[in-house]
Amino acid sequence: DARVTQTPRHKVTEMGQEVTMRCQPILGHNTVFWYRQTMMQGLELLAYFRNRAPLDDSGMPKDRFSAEMPDATLATLKIQPSEPRDSAVYFCASALRGGETQYFGPGTRLLVL
Amino acid sequence: DAKTTQPNSMESNEEEPVHLPCNHSTISGTDYIHWYRQLPSQGPEYVIHGLTSNVNNRMASLAIAEDRKSSTLILHRATLRDAAVYYCILRLAISGNTPLVFGKGTRLSVIA
């Protein structure tokens, strides 16, 4: 049963620290999305990649967030420096070329103190 | 993206059918209607999608109005495990897996 995996599942850190979240998309999926969910804003897109190339990262605060795909099996989302307002659940999703369905990971719950 | 409107919350008794409505009066001819749901403490999961005709799968049915300005997700027998937030999302037919635009969805509670 192929699934999107995310690590860590939970992260508590202090303001100013670097946070790295990792995502392993489903093997063979060529599109990867990063979403963030908060109570106030709901689910919103941060960035997405197709064939490892960034297509849209307009949802990310550029000064502190960065997203990369070092290879086809790994996507990373980094926050440096982290701030309390970054506290949220971060979801990664992947999709197959030509497919209409996105498959979401379990999320990383981040708390910045 | 065209906008959808859903009730904030609904309640159902276990083992009874549930009809979750979605209004999308500004839908275009090339928009598909997608439904995702998010169980507590999990990521969203795909439920069903359709264009014009009603659709059935193992999870649910999707009934689409003739004018396509509204649709209804039907859970034939609600179980406690169906308690979730249900999102109705419009996507261009040629979207090629572009990002999903989530609204607030409908929070479904299922009572035993």
Side-chain angles (χ1 to χ4, degrees):
Chain A
D1 185 20
R3 297 183 186 213
V4 174
T5 59
Q6 291 186 246
T7 57
R9 293 292 310 277
H10 303 272
K11 176 74 175 179
V12 180
T13 191
E14 292 187 346
M15 182 173 62
Q17 296 298 305
E18 178 178 301
V19 175
T20 299
M21 291 169 270
R22 294 177 175 81
C23 167
Q24 182 171 6
I26 293 173
L27 191 64
H29 283 195
N30 73 327
T31 309
V32 175
F33 305 85
W34 284 105
Y35 294 90
R36 177 172 64 183
Q37 186 171 35
T38 61
M39 290 293 292
M40 293 298 294
Q41 300 297 327
L43 273 158
E44 53 185 356
L45 178 76
L46 293 176
Y48 80 107
F49 295 77
R50 183 158 296 140
N51 297 322
R52 295 175 57 201
L55 288 190
D56 184 356
D57 61 1
S58 59
M60 291 198 316
K62 299 290 192 305
D63 57 337
R64 298 185 300 107
F65 284 60
S66 62
E68 296 179 344
M69 280 201 74
D71 61 59
T73 64
L74 177 64
T76 62
L77 179 65
K78 290 187 181 180
I79 309 174
Q80 170 61 19
S82 57
E83 296 181 1
R85 59 179 167 154
D86 301 329
S87 298
V89 183
Y90 291 80
F91 290 104
C92 173
S94 71
L96 188 62
R97 181 198 306 270
E100 286 294 331
T101 303
Q102 293 185 18
Y103 297 84
F104 284 76
T108 293
R109 187 175 295 272
L110 174 65
L111 177 61
V112 183
L113 302 174
Chain B
D1 293 304
K3 186 176 170 57
T4 63
T5 305
Q6 299 178 254
N8 290 333
S9 62
M10 290 185 64
E11 201 173 81
S12 172
N13 293 319
E14 196 177 13
E15 298 192 5
E16 291 192 356
V18 182
H19 290 229
L20 297 162
C22 181
N23 286 323
H24 28 78
S25 58
T26 59
I27 192 170
S28 74
T30 54
D31 283 336
Y32 274 84
I33 303 156
H34 288 247
W35 284 81
Y36 279 72
R37 72 178 185 180
Q38 187 174 19
L39 303 172
S41 301
Q42 295 189 29
E45 64 174 348
Y46 167 82
V47 178
I48 200 165
H49 76 282
L51 184 62
T52 56
S53 304
N54 294 344
V55 183
N56 300 295
N57 66 20
R58 64 175 180 82
M59 290 180 72
S61 295
L62 177 59
I64 302 171
E66 196 168 333
D67 63 4
R68 299 207 332 122
K69 294 185 184 300
S70 66
S71 60
T72 302
L73 180 70
I74 302 166
L75 306 180
H76 295 286
R77 285 180 73 241
T79 70
L80 296 177
R81 286 175 294 180
D82 291 321
V85 178
Y86 288 78
Y87 298 97
C88 171
I89 301 168
L90 300 184
R91 302 186 72 197
L92 286 173
I94 55 172
S95 65
N97 252 318
T98 50
L100 296 167
V101 179
F102 290 88
K104 296 188 183 303
T106 296
R107 182 174 298 276
L108 175 67
S109 301
V110 180
I111 303 168

